[in-house]
Amino acid sequence: MKPMAHLGVGIGWRPEIAEAVERLPGLDWVEVVAENVCPGHLPEALLRLRERGTRVVPHGVSLGLGGADRPDPEKLAALGERAVALGAPLVTEHIAFVRTSSPVLEAGHLLPVPRTRDALDVLCENVRIAQDALPVPLALENIAALFSWPGEELTEGQFLTELVERTGVRLLIDVANLHTNRVNRGEDPAAVLDGIPLEALAYVHVAGGVERGGVWHDTHAHPVPPVVLDLLAELRSRVDPPGVLLERDDDFPPEQELAGELAAIRAVVTAGAATTRPATAGLATPGPATAGPATAGPATEVPGVGVPEAAPEAAAQEPAAEAEFLGDTEPARTRVALGQAALLSALVAGTPVPEGFDRLRIRVQARALAAKRADVVARLAPELPGILGGRNPYREAFLAYAKGRPMTAGYRRDALDFAEHLLIRDLPADPAARRRLTAWWRDRAGARPPGRIVRWARTLVGRAA
């Protein structure tokens, strides 16, 4: 596998810091959340960065390639459109699941997949489907998690190595997530770095978080702590990363603080140049007897990206790699689907926690998911806290709603459902506020809020509002 083209040091582009990003010294590239940009209406600040030669990489958060279902063709097409519109050298996503189809539930968050053979088979097939649909190479990120799955059969290093060997996908390694998993799941970051194929590295994420009650929360809203920079140095001692990117999603600091964090990251990368040792680990980890070499991914050269053209020996082995996915994966998908549905239902619908999970950690995750729903809905619909009397009354009302109403269709629909939930209960109590909420709902839903009779009918058919 040829090395990636050099990206340098970059930052996650967010509208709240768009002007500051344009002024940051020595910025080489930026990453955008793919779902937050529209190909036909790119923000002017982002277009200016592109015009001056700054590379832009779309980072997806909603594909759910680790889920039991095959990737949604529309979501794949949308991600590909953004890559083309941005002139991106690659696109990135996560090794995670985000929804289930039976029952229909949305996590609104990246959840870990079990490191089992079933889950790996499903993930590999989903990755191959995505690679075939996307116009540029794909890289996948390791995620942070609050809990572990029971009965896992592979280590993180083994899981990622086999994924690369079987699909040729690139890796996006988040060193902040390695630290999160050290605190929350007892995993050794150095062992993970020693066990993965670093020659497949696309780039690196660095971010901040905070520890509360023995749990590390990967907030992307705090400064990068020294322990995460230490892990970046650990990675740098093994390989020269093609790119390193600072993520910040909330509580944005002053411009000079962002510049200081980028300077600290750049210093770690530069200081490690003299000590890097060859990245020979990773692919030596034994895989299944049928696993092919790490050359089965996209085979055509994309400008600016070090993706090798298919060598004759790789081409000769391609049919065998394809044959791996011609078998029946439906039994594995069914088993994965059952496990993920039981877990997600416990997290968002209050059903019993499946056997083998840490119940305390699942409760922590459930509270975090509900709080995230409240925060995201407030950002998408900032009028709601104002109508309901401020942040605290809004959060109290939303969290009460979320206990009995799992999200099934994304955050925007969630905002409308929350407003409807209040209105059919004659809330808020203040008539003026209720009129404002009714007007807000009608403007966006284009209909009249259902009354009590409709509510009773829904209850009878199992769709209680």
Side-chain angles (χ1 to χ4, degrees), residues 254-313:
E255 183 177 332
Q256 60 269 26
E257 290 187 29
L258 288 176
E261 289 205 293
L262 287 173
I265 290 170
R266 191 175 289 108
V268 171
V269 174
T270 303
T275 60
T276 303
R277 59 180 185 265
T280 56
L283 288 180
T285 304
T290 57
T295 54
T300 55
E301 182 75 23
V302 176
V305 181
V307 179
E309 295 185 8
E313 61 271 20

Side-chain angles (χ1 to χ4, degrees), residues 322-390:
E322 290 291 347
E324 179 181 350
F325 296 100
L326 295 179
D328 183 10
T329 61
E330 293 310 315
R333 287 187 181 276
T334 298
R335 291 188 291 268
V336 170
L338 290 172
Q340 291 181 347
L343 173 62
L344 187 52
S345 182
L347 288 170
V348 303
T351 58
V353 177
E355 190 68 30
F357 284 95
D358 184 323
R359 284 172 169 74
L360 176 60
R361 287 298 175 91
I362 296 301
R363 286 197 293 271
V364 171
Q365 181 72 83
R367 289 195 297 269
L369 291 180
K372 181 178 179 179
R373 279 178 71 186
D375 290 343
V376 175
V377 166
R379 286 200 296 270
L380 291 173
E383 305 88 352
L384 292 178
I387 292 171
L388 297 178

Side-chain angles (χ1 to χ4, degrees), residues 79 170 189 303:
L79 184 56
R170 300 275 177 171

Side-chain angles (χ1 to χ4, degrees), residues 205-299:
H205 273 174
V206 179
V210 63
E211 187 171 351
R212 300 190 189 100
V215 174
W216 185 269
H217 297 270
D218 181 46
T219 64
H220 294 192
H222 292 79
V224 177
V227 68
V228 171
L229 289 178
D230 289 345
L231 284 178
L232 177 61
E234 278 277 342
L235 183 146
R236 182 63 184 91
S237 72
R238 292 161 170 79
V239 68
D240 182 7
V244 182
L245 183 122
L246 171 65
E247 288 188 295
R248 188 74 179 238
D249 294 323
D250 206 351
D251 289 343
F252 298 101
E255 183 177 332
Q256 60 269 26
E257 290 187 29
L258 288 176
E261 289 205 293
L262 287 173
I265 290 170
R266 191 175 289 108
V268 171
V269 174
T270 303
T275 60
T276 303
R277 59 180 185 265
T280 56
L283 288 180
T285 304
T290 57
T295 54

Side-chain angles (χ1 to χ4, degrees), residues 11-33:
I11 193 169
W13 187 92
R14 304 293 183 264
E16 296 89 340
I17 54 171
E19 293 184 6
V21 168
E22 287 189 77
R23 294 189 293 265
L24 288 171
L27 186 70
D28 298 311
W29 65 293
V30 298
E31 179 192 80
V32 297
V33 177

